[in-house]
Short mmCIF file of all heavy atoms in Angstrom, two decimals:
data_model
loop_
_atom_site.label_atom_id
_atom_site.label_comp_id
_atom_site.label_asym_id
_atom_site.label_seq_id
_atom_site.Cartn_x
_atom_site.Cartn_y
_atom_site.Cartn_z
N LEU A 961 -132.35 146.54 -127.80
CA LEU A 961 -131.44 145.61 -127.04
C LEU A 961 -130.82 144.73 -128.06
O LEU A 961 -129.63 144.30 -127.93
CB LEU A 961 -132.29 144.88 -126.11
CG LEU A 961 -132.88 145.69 -124.81
CD1 LEU A 961 -133.76 144.86 -124.01
CD2 LEU A 961 -131.58 146.23 -124.11
N GLY A 962 -131.63 144.16 -129.08
CA GLY A 962 -130.96 143.29 -130.02
C GLY A 962 -129.80 143.92 -130.82
O GLY A 962 -128.81 143.41 -131.08
N LEU A 963 -130.06 145.29 -131.18
CA LEU A 963 -128.96 145.89 -131.91
C LEU A 963 -127.71 146.14 -131.09
O LEU A 963 -126.67 146.00 -131.64
CB LEU A 963 -129.46 147.35 -132.41
CG LEU A 963 -130.55 147.23 -133.50
CD1 LEU A 963 -130.98 148.67 -133.77
CD2 LEU A 963 -129.86 146.56 -134.78
N ILE A 964 -127.89 146.49 -129.83
CA ILE A 964 -126.62 146.59 -128.89
C ILE A 964 -125.86 145.19 -128.72
O ILE A 964 -124.72 145.21 -128.65
CB ILE A 964 -127.18 147.11 -127.53
CG1 ILE A 964 -127.79 148.52 -127.64
CG2 ILE A 964 -126.13 147.05 -126.41
CD1 ILE A 964 -128.51 149.17 -126.31
N SER A 965 -126.77 144.14 -128.56
CA SER A 965 -126.05 142.88 -128.56
C SER A 965 -125.22 142.56 -129.77
O SER A 965 -124.13 141.97 -129.62
CB SER A 965 -127.04 141.72 -128.25
OG SER A 965 -127.74 141.98 -127.11
N ALA A 966 -125.86 142.80 -130.96
CA ALA A 966 -125.13 142.55 -132.22
C ALA A 966 -123.79 143.31 -132.38
O ALA A 966 -122.75 142.85 -132.78
CB ALA A 966 -126.02 142.82 -133.40
N VAL A 967 -124.01 144.65 -131.77
CA VAL A 967 -122.68 145.51 -131.91
C VAL A 967 -121.66 144.98 -130.94
O VAL A 967 -120.37 144.97 -131.28
CB VAL A 967 -123.10 146.95 -131.78
CG1 VAL A 967 -121.81 147.87 -131.50
CG2 VAL A 967 -124.04 147.42 -132.86
N SER A 968 -122.09 144.60 -129.74
CA SER A 968 -121.05 144.17 -128.69
C SER A 968 -120.48 142.92 -129.09
O SER A 968 -119.37 142.62 -128.57
CB SER A 968 -121.82 144.13 -127.47
OG SER A 968 -122.76 143.15 -127.49
N ALA A 969 -121.00 142.14 -130.01
CA ALA A 969 -120.42 140.83 -130.37
C ALA A 969 -119.10 141.12 -131.13
O ALA A 969 -118.17 140.21 -131.26
CB ALA A 969 -121.40 139.96 -131.25
N PHE A 970 -118.97 142.23 -131.79
CA PHE A 970 -117.76 142.51 -132.49
C PHE A 970 -116.76 143.38 -131.74
O PHE A 970 -115.72 143.81 -132.27
CB PHE A 970 -118.09 143.19 -133.82
CG PHE A 970 -118.87 142.45 -134.84
CD1 PHE A 970 -120.40 142.52 -134.70
CD2 PHE A 970 -118.34 141.49 -135.77
CE1 PHE A 970 -121.03 141.73 -135.59
CE2 PHE A 970 -119.05 140.78 -136.55
CZ PHE A 970 -120.51 140.87 -136.50
N GLY A 971 -116.99 143.64 -130.56
CA GLY A 971 -116.11 144.43 -129.74
C GLY A 971 -115.23 143.57 -128.89
O GLY A 971 -115.21 142.38 -129.09
N PRO A 972 -114.36 144.22 -128.11
CA PRO A 972 -113.28 143.50 -127.34
C PRO A 972 -114.09 142.66 -126.18
O PRO A 972 -115.19 143.03 -125.72
CB PRO A 972 -112.53 144.45 -126.64
CG PRO A 972 -113.46 145.87 -126.70
CD PRO A 972 -114.09 145.62 -127.82
N ILE A 973 -113.60 141.47 -125.96
CA ILE A 973 -114.22 140.45 -125.01
C ILE A 973 -113.19 140.29 -123.88
O ILE A 973 -112.11 139.86 -124.14
CB ILE A 973 -114.53 139.26 -125.65
CG1 ILE A 973 -115.53 139.52 -126.73
CG2 ILE A 973 -115.14 138.33 -124.55
CD1 ILE A 973 -115.88 138.14 -127.48
N GLY A 974 -113.53 140.75 -122.72
CA GLY A 974 -112.58 140.58 -121.60
C GLY A 974 -111.35 141.35 -121.71
O GLY A 974 -111.30 142.44 -122.34
N THR A 975 -110.27 140.74 -121.39
CA THR A 975 -108.90 141.47 -121.36
C THR A 975 -107.94 140.86 -122.28
O THR A 975 -106.76 141.25 -122.40
CB THR A 975 -108.21 141.50 -119.97
OG1 THR A 975 -108.11 140.12 -119.59
CG2 THR A 975 -109.12 142.26 -119.00
N VAL A 976 -108.42 139.72 -123.08
CA VAL A 976 -107.46 138.99 -123.97
C VAL A 976 -107.07 139.85 -125.07
O VAL A 976 -105.91 139.93 -125.32
CB VAL A 976 -108.22 137.76 -124.56
CG1 VAL A 976 -107.32 137.15 -125.57
CG2 VAL A 976 -108.65 136.90 -123.29
N SER A 977 -107.81 140.74 -125.71
CA SER A 977 -107.47 141.55 -126.85
C SER A 977 -106.97 142.85 -126.46
O SER A 977 -106.65 143.67 -127.34
CB SER A 977 -108.65 141.67 -127.74
OG SER A 977 -109.67 142.27 -127.15
N GLY A 978 -106.86 143.19 -125.16
CA GLY A 978 -106.50 144.50 -124.80
C GLY A 978 -105.01 144.59 -124.38
O GLY A 978 -104.33 143.61 -124.26
N SER A 979 -104.54 145.81 -124.47
CA SER A 979 -102.95 145.94 -124.31
C SER A 979 -102.63 145.67 -122.83
O SER A 979 -101.47 145.45 -122.57
CB SER A 979 -102.62 147.36 -124.71
OG SER A 979 -103.36 148.31 -123.85
N ASN A 980 -103.52 145.71 -121.92
CA ASN A 980 -103.37 145.31 -120.54
C ASN A 980 -103.18 143.80 -120.24
O ASN A 980 -102.92 143.43 -119.14
CB ASN A 980 -104.28 145.93 -119.65
CG ASN A 980 -104.21 147.40 -119.65
OD1 ASN A 980 -103.15 148.06 -119.82
ND2 ASN A 980 -105.30 148.14 -119.51
N SER A 981 -103.44 143.04 -121.28
CA SER A 981 -103.56 141.67 -121.05
C SER A 981 -101.99 141.14 -120.84
O SER A 981 -101.10 141.72 -121.50
CB SER A 981 -104.11 141.00 -122.23
OG SER A 981 -103.80 139.48 -122.13
N PRO A 982 -101.76 140.22 -119.99
CA PRO A 982 -100.41 139.82 -119.78
C PRO A 982 -99.81 139.11 -121.06
O PRO A 982 -98.61 138.94 -121.19
CB PRO A 982 -100.48 138.85 -118.63
CG PRO A 982 -101.95 138.34 -118.60
CD PRO A 982 -102.68 139.50 -119.08
N ARG A 983 -100.66 138.62 -121.98
CA ARG A 983 -100.18 137.95 -123.24
C ARG A 983 -100.03 139.05 -124.34
O ARG A 983 -99.51 138.60 -125.43
CB ARG A 983 -101.13 136.95 -123.61
CG ARG A 983 -101.48 135.87 -122.50
CD ARG A 983 -102.45 134.91 -123.05
NE ARG A 983 -102.87 134.05 -122.13
CZ ARG A 983 -103.74 133.14 -122.17
NH1 ARG A 983 -104.45 132.99 -123.38
NH2 ARG A 983 -104.17 132.19 -121.24
N GLY A 984 -100.37 140.26 -124.04
CA GLY A 984 -100.22 141.19 -125.14
C GLY A 984 -101.42 141.28 -125.99
O GLY A 984 -102.35 140.46 -125.94
N PRO A 985 -101.43 142.21 -126.93
CA PRO A 985 -102.61 142.33 -127.96
C PRO A 985 -102.67 141.14 -128.85
O PRO A 985 -101.77 140.58 -129.23
CB PRO A 985 -102.54 143.64 -128.62
CG PRO A 985 -100.83 143.84 -128.59
CD PRO A 985 -100.52 143.22 -127.28
N LEU A 986 -103.90 140.84 -129.14
CA LEU A 986 -104.17 139.58 -129.98
C LEU A 986 -104.43 140.13 -131.37
O LEU A 986 -105.18 140.99 -131.59
CB LEU A 986 -105.37 138.86 -129.60
CG LEU A 986 -105.76 137.60 -130.41
CD1 LEU A 986 -104.85 136.51 -130.32
CD2 LEU A 986 -107.22 137.10 -129.89
N ALA A 987 -103.61 139.67 -132.34
CA ALA A 987 -103.58 140.14 -133.72
C ALA A 987 -104.91 139.53 -134.31
O ALA A 987 -105.37 138.49 -134.03
CB ALA A 987 -102.57 139.66 -134.50
N ARG A 988 -105.56 140.52 -135.28
CA ARG A 988 -106.84 140.22 -135.86
C ARG A 988 -106.64 138.97 -136.76
O ARG A 988 -105.69 138.88 -137.58
CB ARG A 988 -107.30 141.35 -136.68
CG ARG A 988 -108.70 141.10 -137.30
CD ARG A 988 -109.08 142.32 -137.86
NE ARG A 988 -109.42 143.31 -136.88
CZ ARG A 988 -109.77 144.57 -137.16
NH1 ARG A 988 -110.03 144.96 -138.37
NH2 ARG A 988 -109.88 145.36 -136.25
N GLY A 989 -107.41 137.95 -136.65
CA GLY A 989 -107.33 136.73 -137.34
C GLY A 989 -106.50 135.51 -136.94
O GLY A 989 -106.35 134.48 -137.55
N SER A 990 -105.68 135.84 -135.79
CA SER A 990 -104.80 134.79 -135.28
C SER A 990 -105.50 134.12 -134.23
O SER A 990 -106.53 134.60 -133.64
CB SER A 990 -103.61 135.52 -134.71
OG SER A 990 -103.96 136.38 -133.61
N GLU A 991 -104.93 132.94 -133.80
CA GLU A 991 -105.55 132.10 -132.55
C GLU A 991 -104.95 132.56 -131.49
O GLU A 991 -103.70 133.02 -131.36
CB GLU A 991 -105.09 130.69 -132.98
CG GLU A 991 -105.76 130.02 -134.30
CD GLU A 991 -107.32 129.98 -134.08
OE1 GLU A 991 -107.76 129.86 -132.97
OE2 GLU A 991 -107.91 130.01 -135.11
N PRO A 992 -105.67 132.40 -130.28
CA PRO A 992 -105.13 132.67 -129.00
C PRO A 992 -103.88 131.86 -128.77
O PRO A 992 -103.82 130.72 -128.99
CB PRO A 992 -106.26 132.41 -128.02
CG PRO A 992 -107.56 132.38 -128.94
CD PRO A 992 -107.03 131.90 -130.35
N PRO A 993 -102.89 132.54 -128.12
CA PRO A 993 -101.56 131.75 -127.90
C PRO A 993 -101.84 130.87 -126.71
O PRO A 993 -102.64 131.02 -125.79
CB PRO A 993 -100.59 132.84 -127.43
CG PRO A 993 -101.41 133.89 -126.99
CD PRO A 993 -102.81 133.95 -127.79
N THR A 994 -101.14 129.73 -126.80
CA THR A 994 -101.19 128.73 -125.76
C THR A 994 -100.17 129.02 -124.68
O THR A 994 -99.06 129.65 -124.94
CB THR A 994 -100.88 127.28 -126.35
OG1 THR A 994 -99.62 127.31 -126.88
CG2 THR A 994 -101.98 126.91 -127.38
N GLU A 995 -100.35 128.55 -123.52
CA GLU A 995 -99.48 128.74 -122.39
C GLU A 995 -98.27 127.85 -122.45
O GLU A 995 -98.39 126.69 -122.66
CB GLU A 995 -100.17 128.48 -121.03
CG GLU A 995 -101.45 129.35 -120.84
CD GLU A 995 -101.99 128.99 -119.46
OE1 GLU A 995 -101.51 128.11 -118.78
OE2 GLU A 995 -103.02 129.78 -119.10
N ASP A 996 -97.19 128.58 -122.52
CA ASP A 996 -95.79 127.78 -122.55
C ASP A 996 -95.37 127.44 -121.26
O ASP A 996 -94.34 128.07 -120.64
CB ASP A 996 -94.84 128.72 -123.46
CG ASP A 996 -95.26 128.85 -124.80
OD1 ASP A 996 -96.00 128.00 -125.30
OD2 ASP A 996 -94.94 129.89 -125.41
N GLU A 997 -96.00 126.59 -120.58
CA GLU A 997 -95.52 126.24 -119.26
C GLU A 997 -94.31 125.31 -119.27
O GLU A 997 -94.36 124.33 -120.08
CB GLU A 997 -96.55 125.53 -118.44
CG GLU A 997 -97.67 126.54 -118.15
CD GLU A 997 -98.80 125.86 -117.32
OE1 GLU A 997 -98.72 124.61 -117.13
OE2 GLU A 997 -99.86 126.57 -116.97
N PRO A 998 -93.25 125.34 -118.42
CA PRO A 998 -92.17 124.33 -118.55
C PRO A 998 -92.56 123.01 -118.17
O PRO A 998 -93.25 122.64 -117.26
CB PRO A 998 -91.19 124.88 -117.50
CG PRO A 998 -92.09 125.70 -116.58
CD PRO A 998 -93.15 126.33 -117.40
N GLN A 999 -92.23 122.07 -119.10
CA GLN A 999 -92.51 120.69 -118.94
C GLN A 999 -91.33 120.00 -118.24
O GLN A 999 -90.26 120.02 -118.46
CB GLN A 999 -92.91 120.03 -120.28
CG GLN A 999 -93.99 120.65 -121.05
CD GLN A 999 -95.32 120.39 -120.37
OE1 GLN A 999 -95.53 119.43 -119.74
NE2 GLN A 999 -96.26 121.40 -120.56
N GLU A 1000 -91.78 119.09 -117.27
CA GLU A 1000 -90.77 118.31 -116.53
C GLU A 1000 -90.25 117.20 -117.42
O GLU A 1000 -91.02 116.61 -118.19
CB GLU A 1000 -91.36 117.74 -115.32
CG GLU A 1000 -91.86 118.68 -114.17
CD GLU A 1000 -92.28 118.05 -112.96
OE1 GLU A 1000 -92.28 116.82 -113.00
OE2 GLU A 1000 -92.61 118.71 -112.04
N PRO A 1001 -88.96 117.04 -117.45
CA PRO A 1001 -88.40 115.94 -118.29
C PRO A 1001 -88.98 114.68 -117.90
O PRO A 1001 -89.00 114.35 -116.76
CB PRO A 1001 -86.84 116.04 -118.10
CG PRO A 1001 -86.71 116.86 -116.87
CD PRO A 1001 -87.89 117.69 -116.65
N ALA A 1002 -89.23 113.72 -118.87
CA ALA A 1002 -89.59 112.43 -118.61
C ALA A 1002 -88.55 111.67 -117.85
O ALA A 1002 -87.44 111.79 -118.27
CB ALA A 1002 -90.07 111.73 -119.89
N PRO A 1003 -88.82 110.78 -116.85
CA PRO A 1003 -87.89 109.88 -116.18
C PRO A 1003 -87.23 109.00 -117.10
O PRO A 1003 -87.95 108.50 -118.02
CB PRO A 1003 -88.65 109.40 -115.02
CG PRO A 1003 -89.94 109.45 -115.45
CD PRO A 1003 -90.07 110.60 -116.22
N PRO A 1004 -85.98 108.70 -116.88
CA PRO A 1004 -85.42 107.53 -117.80
C PRO A 1004 -86.11 106.32 -117.64
O PRO A 1004 -86.50 105.88 -116.49
CB PRO A 1004 -83.94 107.41 -117.42
CG PRO A 1004 -83.94 107.99 -116.03
CD PRO A 1004 -85.09 109.00 -116.02
N GLU A 1005 -86.28 105.46 -118.69
CA GLU A 1005 -86.94 104.21 -118.56
C GLU A 1005 -85.96 103.25 -117.89
O GLU A 1005 -84.74 103.20 -118.11
CB GLU A 1005 -87.15 103.68 -119.97
CG GLU A 1005 -87.91 102.33 -120.01
CD GLU A 1005 -88.32 102.01 -121.34
OE1 GLU A 1005 -88.13 102.74 -122.34
OE2 GLU A 1005 -88.88 100.78 -121.47
N PRO A 1006 -86.46 102.54 -116.90
CA PRO A 1006 -85.62 101.66 -116.05
C PRO A 1006 -84.86 100.61 -116.95
O PRO A 1006 -85.46 100.24 -118.00
CB PRO A 1006 -86.61 100.87 -115.19
CG PRO A 1006 -87.75 101.81 -115.12
CD PRO A 1006 -87.89 102.47 -116.45
N LEU A 1007 -83.76 100.33 -116.55
CA LEU A 1007 -82.99 99.20 -117.28
C LEU A 1007 -83.65 97.93 -117.15
O LEU A 1007 -83.67 97.19 -118.11
CB LEU A 1007 -81.62 99.28 -116.68
CG LEU A 1007 -80.66 98.15 -117.10
CD1 LEU A 1007 -80.43 98.19 -118.68
CD2 LEU A 1007 -79.36 97.99 -116.42
N PHE A 1008 -84.27 97.58 -115.96
CA PHE A 1008 -85.08 96.42 -115.76
C PHE A 1008 -86.59 96.83 -115.58
O PHE A 1008 -86.82 97.84 -114.92
CB PHE A 1008 -84.54 95.64 -114.70
CG PHE A 1008 -83.25 94.86 -114.95
CD1 PHE A 1008 -82.09 95.58 -114.68
CD2 PHE A 1008 -83.35 93.72 -115.36
CE1 PHE A 1008 -80.84 95.00 -114.98
CE2 PHE A 1008 -82.17 93.08 -115.60
CZ PHE A 1008 -80.75 93.67 -115.36
N PRO A 1009 -87.46 96.07 -116.14
CA PRO A 1009 -88.90 96.39 -115.94
C PRO A 1009 -89.20 96.44 -114.43
O PRO A 1009 -88.86 95.52 -113.67
CB PRO A 1009 -89.66 95.24 -116.70
CG PRO A 1009 -88.59 94.61 -117.64
CD PRO A 1009 -87.24 94.96 -116.83
N THR A 1010 -89.99 97.44 -114.01
CA THR A 1010 -90.38 97.57 -112.67
C THR A 1010 -91.53 96.55 -112.27
O THR A 1010 -91.75 96.27 -111.10
CB THR A 1010 -90.86 98.95 -112.36
OG1 THR A 1010 -91.93 99.42 -113.27
CG2 THR A 1010 -89.63 99.93 -112.48
N ASN A 1011 -92.23 96.12 -113.13
CA ASN A 1011 -93.47 95.30 -113.05
C ASN A 1011 -93.20 94.05 -113.77
O ASN A 1011 -94.14 93.52 -114.48
CB ASN A 1011 -94.79 95.88 -113.47
CG ASN A 1011 -94.76 96.36 -114.86
OD1 ASN A 1011 -93.60 96.36 -115.47
ND2 ASN A 1011 -95.90 96.74 -115.45
N MET A 1012 -92.06 93.41 -113.67
CA MET A 1012 -91.80 92.16 -114.30
C MET A 1012 -92.63 91.10 -113.82
O MET A 1012 -92.59 90.87 -112.48
CB MET A 1012 -90.31 91.73 -114.32
CG MET A 1012 -89.83 90.53 -114.93
SD MET A 1012 -88.13 90.12 -114.69
CE MET A 1012 -87.36 91.44 -115.60
N PRO A 1013 -93.41 90.29 -114.56
CA PRO A 1013 -94.25 89.14 -113.95
C PRO A 1013 -93.40 88.16 -113.37
O PRO A 1013 -92.36 87.72 -114.00
CB PRO A 1013 -95.09 88.71 -115.14
CG PRO A 1013 -94.23 89.17 -116.29
CD PRO A 1013 -93.49 90.45 -115.95
N MET A 1014 -93.73 87.58 -112.20
CA MET A 1014 -92.79 86.64 -111.51
C MET A 1014 -93.73 85.44 -111.31
O MET A 1014 -94.93 85.50 -111.25
CB MET A 1014 -92.46 87.18 -110.24
CG MET A 1014 -91.81 88.52 -110.08
SD MET A 1014 -90.15 88.59 -110.90
CE MET A 1014 -89.10 87.52 -109.73
N GLU A 1015 -93.04 84.24 -111.31
CA GLU A 1015 -93.71 82.99 -111.09
C GLU A 1015 -92.80 82.21 -110.04
O GLU A 1015 -91.59 82.38 -110.03
CB GLU A 1015 -93.87 82.11 -112.31
CG GLU A 1015 -92.64 81.73 -112.95
CD GLU A 1015 -93.03 80.84 -114.17
OE1 GLU A 1015 -93.84 79.98 -114.03
OE2 GLU A 1015 -92.38 81.11 -115.25
N THR A 1016 -93.51 81.42 -109.17
CA THR A 1016 -92.86 80.74 -108.14
C THR A 1016 -92.41 79.24 -108.53
O THR A 1016 -93.30 78.64 -108.97
CB THR A 1016 -93.65 80.69 -106.83
OG1 THR A 1016 -93.94 81.92 -106.46
CG2 THR A 1016 -92.92 80.00 -105.74
N LEU A 1017 -91.11 79.02 -108.37
CA LEU A 1017 -90.72 77.64 -108.66
C LEU A 1017 -90.31 76.98 -107.44
O LEU A 1017 -89.56 77.63 -106.62
CB LEU A 1017 -89.47 77.70 -109.62
CG LEU A 1017 -89.77 78.22 -111.05
CD1 LEU A 1017 -88.47 78.18 -111.84
CD2 LEU A 1017 -90.96 77.65 -111.72
N GLN A 1018 -90.74 75.87 -107.19
CA GLN A 1018 -90.45 75.03 -105.89
C GLN A 1018 -89.04 74.70 -105.96
O GLN A 1018 -88.40 74.51 -107.09
CB GLN A 1018 -91.45 73.84 -105.73
CG GLN A 1018 -92.88 74.12 -105.57
CD GLN A 1018 -93.07 75.20 -104.35
OE1 GLN A 1018 -92.55 75.09 -103.32
NE2 GLN A 1018 -94.05 76.10 -104.58
N GLY A 1019 -88.44 74.43 -104.84
CA GLY A 1019 -87.04 73.92 -104.75
C GLY A 1019 -86.88 72.56 -105.23
O GLY A 1019 -87.77 71.85 -105.86
N SER A 1020 -85.74 71.93 -104.89
CA SER A 1020 -85.39 70.54 -105.22
C SER A 1020 -85.38 70.25 -106.68
O SER A 1020 -86.09 69.37 -107.27
CB SER A 1020 -86.37 69.61 -104.46
OG SER A 1020 -86.05 68.23 -104.61
N LYS A 1021 -84.52 71.21 -107.47
CA LYS A 1021 -84.41 70.89 -108.96
C LYS A 1021 -85.63 71.00 -109.76
O LYS A 1021 -85.73 70.24 -110.71
CB LYS A 1021 -83.41 69.71 -109.05
CG LYS A 1021 -82.18 69.69 -108.43
CD LYS A 1021 -81.40 68.34 -108.78
CE LYS A 1021 -80.04 68.37 -108.13
NZ LYS A 1021 -79.20 67.20 -108.45
N THR A 1022 -86.37 71.92 -109.51
CA THR A 1022 -87.52 72.13 -110.42
C THR A 1022 -86.95 72.87 -111.70
O THR A 1022 -86.08 73.90 -111.47
CB THR A 1022 -88.58 73.08 -109.78
OG1 THR A 1022 -88.98 72.33 -108.60
CG2 THR A 1022 -89.79 73.35 -110.64
N VAL A 1023 -87.42 72.46 -112.85
CA VAL A 1023 -86.94 73.05 -114.06
C VAL A 1023 -88.07 73.77 -114.76
O VAL A 1023 -89.19 73.34 -114.85
CB VAL A 1023 -86.43 71.94 -114.99
CG1 VAL A 1023 -85.87 72.47 -116.31
CG2 VAL A 1023 -85.14 71.21 -114.31
N ARG A 1024 -87.64 74.96 -115.42
CA ARG A 1024 -88.65 75.75 -116.07
C ARG A 1024 -87.93 76.38 -117.33
O ARG A 1024 -86.78 76.83 -117.23
CB ARG A 1024 -89.15 77.01 -115.21
CG ARG A 1024 -90.13 77.99 -116.14
CD ARG A 1024 -91.48 77.32 -116.30
NE ARG A 1024 -92.45 78.29 -116.64
CZ ARG A 1024 -92.77 78.77 -117.91
NH1 ARG A 1024 -92.01 78.21 -118.89
NH2 ARG A 1024 -93.62 79.59 -118.15
#
Side-chain angles (χ1 to χ4, degrees):
L961 289 175
L963 292 174
I964 293 173
S965 300
V967 172
S968 63
F970 296 94
I973 302 176
T975 59
V976 174
S977 60
S979 60
N980 293 330
S981 173
R983 304 178 188 175
L986 178 64
R988 183 174 297 177
S990 63
E991 295 294 332
T994 58
E995 296 182 0
D996 296 331
E997 296 181 356
Q999 301 291 332
E1000 295 184 359
E1005 187 173 354
L1007 174 60
F1008 287 86
T1010 56
N1011 56 348
M1012 181 181 294
M1014 308 292 291
E1015 61 176 320
T1016 301
L1017 301 182
Q1018 300 301 321
S1020 189
K1021 296 185 178 181
T1022 301
V1023 178
R1024 176 75 163 88

